Amino acid sequence: MKARKLLMIPGPIEFEPEVLQAMGIPTTSHVAPDFIEIFGKSLELMREVWKSPKGQPFIVAGTGTLAMDMAAANLIEQGDNVLVISSGYFGKRFKDILDRYGANTTLLEAPLGETVPLEIIENELKHKQYKALTITHVDTSTGIIVDPKPIAQLAKKYNTLSILDGVCSVAGEELNQDEWELDIVLTASQKAIGVPPGLALLMVSEKAMQVWENRKTLVSNYYADWSNWLPIMRAYEERRPSYFGTPAVNLIVALETSLKIICKEGIEKRVKRHQSLAKAFRAAIASLNLTILPKTTEIAANTLTAVYYPEGIDGAALSSKMVDSNVIIAGGLLPEIKTTYFRIGHMGSVSPNDLLAVLGALERALSELGQPLEVGKSLQTFQNELLKAH
Amino acid sequence: MKARKLLMIPGPIEFEPEVLQAMGIPTTSHVAPDFIEIFGKSLELMREVWKSPKGQPFIVAGTGTLAMDMAAANLIEQGDNVLVISSGYFGKRFKDILDRYGANTTLLEAPLGETVPLEIIENELKHKQYKALTITHVDTSTGIIVDPKPIAQLAKKYNTLSILDGVCSVAGEELNQDEWELDIVLTASQKAIGVPPGLALLMVSEKAMQVWENRKTLVSNYYADWSNWLPIMRAYEERRPSYFGTPAVNLIVALETSLKIICKEGIEKRVKRHQSLAKAFRAAIASLNLTILPKTTEIAANTLTAVYYPEGIDGAALSSKMVDSNVIIAGGLLPEIKTTYFRIGHMGSVSPNDLLAVLGALERALSELGQPLEVGKSLQTFQNELLKAH
């Protein structure tokens, strides 16, 4: 049997061969003309993927948490009111980060498997002036998606900046930053954007850049400070050499490769592919009598699915059997229910073939562990749903 | 003619083919057993390269500036006195970073081309209690090396933490962290450690970890905070899965590959190779009647050489002719004299063949630009010096 395993976790994901080839190119100088062109082009392509022709893109060596950190460190000053809308682990992480910069945070935490109702958000905004609010588009810990559009509209109505953690959504879920008037949309390379881990990516609105420019205090984090990075991003986009910290050359060459693949597929088509695959996958999971973590399919992400283990099934044994079938899945992440569920990533270049492999391995593993099921049912359901979508 | 150009700048450098292959591997999960082993082994191998069996290593996605930022953000609290010993651009950058965390910094700046005398350092330490001092081992902007050992001894004598910016030295210059009692030695992946850019690497002494543990205030930078990373480093070293931010998987696989190559060569032998190649290269440069930026060869780094352009030679024209000869060199970096000198990196896997290519291209370029020189002289000098060294 082929040794290569399918990496079906919610990041890092499966990457295109061209992207991996780009990772392995002989590294060039960070101020070489060909690399300046690649960096500049990447910044331009980000605008296309984010649908933010007016946004200011940032590409910085680091993780998705650094991207969150940059948003918080640059926008927040001591005592600023910030509303954190959370549907999982990463919502709460944003609170931790904001608190570090002296924010006076209010956490609106959805009950497990749910989202925070719009009325509750509006009620908060109505009764207190918030400088900013944060939304986790897709919380990787729960597989829950939040519709950012009406929240961004509320933010606008109440003169509040909106920050979208798009780590598990950008280039996979529907996003229209400028039209929806989201002020920051951030992500990390190893998710739907399709590049190995190591890059923090942000797109910042003109309004948010102005808020940053009008800060009264220095950003209390040197590496995250846009003062250091903005001239560099501008220089690369104008195809001029510039230096602050050495850019992660190979990762950026891989980023340009992936962004070109994304734009060639077309962002609308890519999002539709995520939606139809995720829908078919959820139907297949349901046909096995398994329950997903989001309470309704309307709030289930299209980039990953979080599924409860059936009663009596040991999670470690299931994962191990999946690995024997060359499929790697992720365990739970939400501390309080960590051992009760698993997660399948299906974003980026994901294909029906990949998801059939997952379902096949899952059926065999469950069956071998004594779980009653109709063998082949999930595969059949998946196929039918997919055909219906076309 | 082969299109591939030699990257002879002071980082990113030329990388081993195995390292570049590691960059392009299909990315695995950050908690997969084989990756946990690779991460754990990398931490162990760092201790060998740093000669710091007692140190706490950190591997974090970011640049060398992030490594400096982590040292400053974690050790420094508002009002702490810090002595910055500078012999170029990166010395002064450390002051900027320390200032950001509220340090009360004193900058001891060497005159251009020189180092700060030990007496001046001791005089400062004698008259004021400093919490920490920073040393730039090799300043990439000037090609000047500072001997960290006597400064670390002074630091110990005056009960001061010593922080070594080893970005352009670790795995290229002599270093013995534990024996020399250096508290932090930091570097970045794209230098002598031989991995494409994207990783910040630190080794922290037990004493410095204690100072951090006894902080009175929170670290004012979320991403840099060791509270987030220490449990992760410990987990990987104990071969347990753990998660804070997604590690830069491919870069870390490349790091392990390079650290193994380094340890196989042997760190003593590797440092000697850097020394003898650099010595021969400096002699060759002198034989062309060119002047290096460091005032004496005793303070000239072995990882790069900074050379003044001869009078009447245009820097851009010289670089461009070098590129035509498939050799990429770096321009100046020190703002005040940026256009008057160039820099050649010779660290990591650098071989005599690489440096002959540089000298050959340099001779031809200078000659074509009308600079009088004895053709072949620098190559002959290089060969003779190298033979003498063996």
Side-chain angles (χ1 to χ4, degrees):
Chain A
M1 192 164 81
K2 283 193 283 185
R4 164 89 179 105
K5 288 171 177 53
L6 263 185
L7 187 59
M8 299 303 290
I9 69 175
I13 62 165
E14 288 281 314
F15 302 116
E16 294 284 357
E18 297 91 313
V19 171
L20 293 173
Q21 277 160 20
M23 285 294 287
I25 54 138
T27 311
T28 182
S29 164
H30 49 295
V31 291
D34 54 345
F35 179 70
I36 293 176
E37 176 57 33
I38 286 169
F39 200 142
K41 186 77 188 166
S42 300
L43 294 163
E44 287 164 7
L45 290 170
M46 274 177 68
R47 288 215 186 83
E48 203 169 314
V49 172
W50 269 248
K51 292 196 188 162
S52 180
K54 289 183 182 167
Q56 174 59 53
F58 289 90
I59 302 174
V60 179
T63 71
T65 296
L66 175 69
M68 296 165 77
D69 202 31
M70 288 186 87
N74 283 283
L75 285 192
I76 302 310
E77 296 187 77
Q78 205 71 25
D80 284 343
N81 293 332
V82 185
L83 185 63
V84 175
I85 303 161
S86 174
S87 44
Y89 180 87
F90 290 98
K92 280 190 268 183
R93 171 167 291 189
F94 228 145
K95 176 177 156 52
D96 288 346
I97 297 175
L98 291 156
D99 285 345
R100 187 65 64 100
Y101 298 101
N104 174 22
T105 48
T106 303
L107 178 68
L108 289 182
E109 204 177 346
L112 182 64
E114 299 178 33
T115 58
V116 179
L118 276 178
E119 310 82 73
I120 291 184
I121 299 170
E122 178 150 25
N123 196 42
E124 267 304 329
L125 292 170
K126 212 181 275 173
H127 291 96
K128 190 162 159 186
Q129 179 58 46
Y130 285 96
K131 179 176 189 177
L133 60 78
T134 69
I135 313 159
T136 315
H137 198 175
V138 169
D139 203 299
T140 318
S141 72
T142 54
I144 287 173
I145 188 168
V146 167
D147 183 1
K149 196 179 169 182
I151 305 176
Q153 281 168 346
L154 283 179
K156 207 197 158 194
K157 182 173 168 190
Y158 293 97
N159 194 26
T160 297
L161 293 167
S162 53
I163 303 171
L164 186 72
D165 169 355
V167 169
C168 205
S169 76
V170 173
E173 302 283 2
E174 198 190 350
L175 172 73
N176 202 332
Q177 182 170 0
D178 282 14
E179 200 193 295
W180 296 354
E181 300 191 66
L182 286 158
D183 288 301
I184 297 188
V185 177
L186 59 90
T187 192
S189 51
Q190 77 278 10
K191 303 279 182 174
I193 208 96
V195 179
L199 293 178
L201 306 167
L202 294 94
M203 186 72 72
V204 185
S205 73
E206 289 175 307
K207 193 167 79 186
M209 290 307 295
Q210 275 164 21
V211 169
W212 167 74
E213 273 163 24
N214 294 330
R215 284 179 68 97
K216 288 188 191 71
T217 56
L218 272 180
V219 171
S220 77
N221 172 329
Y222 184 82
Y223 187 65
D225 190 347
W226 290 338
S227 307
N228 294 320
W229 296 107
L230 183 60
I232 308 304
M233 299 304 135
R234 287 195 173 145
Y236 276 107
E237 205 162 356
E238 291 163 7
R239 308 301 195 265
R240 287 185 288 109
S242 192
Y243 170 75
F244 167 62
T246 307
V249 172
N250 295 52
L251 278 165
I252 292 171
V253 177
L255 175 65
E256 192 217 16
T257 306
S258 193
L259 288 170
K260 279 182 170 168
I261 291 170
I262 291 169
C263 292
K264 199 180 165 197
E265 179 177 15
I267 192 71
E268 260 82 24
K269 213 173 141 195
R270 187 178 178 89
V271 167
K272 281 233 168 63
R273 172 167 57 79
H274 281 79
Q275 287 168 344
S276 58
L277 282 173
K279 197 180 167 205
F281 187 71
R282 284 192 296 268
I285 287 292
S287 77
L288 291 171
N289 294 319
L290 298 180
T291 311
I292 62 171
L293 199 147
K295 286 261 169 76
T296 67
T297 52
E298 284 69 39
I299 58 164
N302 299 301
T303 46
L304 83 151
T305 300
V307 187
Y308 286 109
Y309 296 116
E311 228 172 292
I313 294 290
D314 175 64
L318 182 73
S319 288
S320 161
K321 284 204 175 286
M322 299 285 288
V323 170
D324 292 343
S325 287
N326 275 351
V327 175
I328 300 176
I329 61 170
L333 182 55
L334 210 58
E336 45 280 33
I337 55 160
K338 204 172 149 63
T339 57
T340 68
Y341 73 109
F342 62 100
R343 296 171 301 149
I344 310 286
H346 35 79
M347 64 187 116
S349 297
V350 64
S351 74
N353 305 354
D354 298 334
L355 289 177
L356 283 174
V358 172
L359 290 168
L362 184 61
E363 277 195 358
R364 298 196 299 278
L366 287 171
S367 181
E368 284 168 25
L369 291 169
Q371 176 72 6
L373 57 88
E374 190 184 328
V375 174
K377 178 81 176 291
S378 75
L379 301 168
Q380 196 180 31
T381 307
F382 183 79
Q383 294 284 80
N384 277 321
E385 280 296 323
L386 218 55
L387 282 169
K388 263 199 268 174
H390 286 289
Chain B
M1 193 163 81
K2 282 193 282 186
R4 163 91 178 105
K5 289 171 177 54
L6 263 184
L7 187 59
M8 299 303 288
I9 69 174
I13 62 166
E14 288 282 315
F15 301 116
E16 294 284 357
E18 297 92 314
V19 172
L20 292 173
Q21 277 159 20
M23 285 293 288
I25 56 139
T27 310
T28 182
S29 164
H30 50 294
V31 291
D34 53 345
F35 179 70
I36 293 176
E37 176 57 34
I38 286 168
F39 201 142
K41 186 76 187 165
S42 300
L43 294 163
E44 288 163 8
L45 289 169
M46 274 178 68
R47 288 215 186 82
E48 202 169 315
V49 172
W50 269 248
K51 291 196 188 163
S52 180
K54 289 182 183 168
Q56 174 58 53
F58 289 90
I59 301 174
V60 178
T63 71
T65 296
L66 175 69
M68 296 165 78
D69 202 32
M70 288 186 87
N74 283 284
L75 285 191
I76 301 310
E77 295 187 76
Q78 205 71 24
D80 284 342
N81 293 330
V82 186
L83 185 62
V84 175
I85 303 161
S86 174
S87 44
Y89 180 87
F90 290 96
K92 280 190 269 184
R93 171 168 289 189
F94 228 145
K95 177 180 156 46
D96 288 346
I97 297 175
L98 290 156
D99 286 346
R100 187 62 65 98
Y101 298 102
N104 175 21
T105 48
T106 303
L107 178 68
L108 289 180
E109 204 178 344
L112 182 64
E114 298 178 34
T115 58
V116 179
L118 277 179
E119 310 82 73
I120 291 183
I121 299 170
E122 177 149 25
N123 196 43
E124 268 303 329
L125 294 170
K126 209 180 278 175
H127 290 97
K128 189 163 159 186
Q129 181 57 46
Y130 285 96
K131 179 176 189 177
L133 60 78
T134 69
I135 314 159
T136 314
H137 198 176
V138 168
D139 202 299
T140 317
S141 72
T142 54
I144 287 173
I145 188 168
V146 167
D147 183 1
K149 196 180 168 181
I151 305 176
Q153 280 167 348
L154 283 179
K156 204 196 158 192
K157 183 173 167 189
Y158 293 98
N159 193 25
T160 297
L161 292 168
S162 53
I163 303 171
L164 186 72
D165 169 356
V167 168
C168 204
S169 76
V170 173
E173 303 283 2
E174 198 190 350
L175 171 73
N176 202 330
Q177 181 169 358
D178 282 13
E179 199 193 295
W180 296 354
E181 299 190 67
L182 285 159
D183 290 299
I184 297 188
V185 177
L186 59 90
T187 192
S189 50
Q190 77 277 10
K191 304 279 182 174
I193 209 96
V195 179
L199 292 178
L201 306 167
L202 296 93
M203 186 72 74
V204 185
S205 73
E206 290 174 307
K207 193 167 78 185
M209 290 306 296
Q210 273 163 22
V211 169
W212 167 73
E213 274 162 23
N214 295 328
R215 285 180 68 97
K216 287 188 193 70
T217 56
L218 273 179
V219 171
S220 76
N221 173 328
Y222 184 83
Y223 187 65
D225 190 345
W226 290 338
S227 306
N228 294 320
W229 296 107
L230 183 61
I232 309 304
M233 299 304 136
R234 287 195 174 144
Y236 276 108
E237 205 161 356
E238 291 163 8
R239 307 302 194 266
R240 286 185 287 111
S242 192
Y243 169 76
F244 167 62
T246 307
V249 172
N250 295 51
L251 279 164
I252 292 172
V253 177
L255 175 66
E256 193 217 16
T257 306
S258 193
L259 289 170
K260 279 182 169 168
I261 292 170
I262 292 168
C263 292
K264 198 178 166 199
E265 179 178 15
I267 192 73
E268 260 81 26
K269 212 173 142 195
R270 187 176 177 92
V271 167
K272 281 232 168 65
R273 170 167 59 78
H274 280 79
Q275 287 169 343
S276 58
L277 282 173
K279 197 179 166 204
F281 187 71
R282 285 192 296 268
I285 287 291
S287 79
L288 292 170
N289 294 318
L290 297 180
T291 311
I292 62 170
L293 199 147
K295 286 262 170 74
T296 67
T297 52
E298 285 69 39
I299 57 163
N302 299 301
T303 46
L304 83 152
T305 300
V307 186
Y308 287 109
Y309 296 118
E311 228 172 290
I313 294 290
D314 174 64
L318 182 72
S319 289
S320 161
K321 282 202 175 290
M322 299 284 288
V323 170
D324 292 344
S325 288
N326 275 351
V327 175
I328 300 177
I329 61 171
L333 182 56
L334 210 59
E336 46 278 35
I337 55 160
K338 203 171 149 64
T339 58
T340 68
Y341 74 108
F342 63 99
R343 296 170 302 149
I344 310 285
H346 35 78
M347 64 186 115
S349 298
V350 64
S351 74
N353 305 354
D354 298 333
L355 288 177
L356 282 174
V358 172
L359 290 168
L362 184 59
E363 277 195 358
R364 297 195 300 279
L366 287 170
S367 180
E368 284 167 26
L369 291 169
Q371 176 73 5
L373 58 85
E374 190 185 327
V375 174
K377 178 78 177 290
S378 75
L379 301 167
Q380 196 180 31
T381 307
F382 182 78
Q383 294 284 78
N384 276 321
E385 279 296 323
L386 217 55
L387 282 168
K388 262 200 268 173
H390 285 289

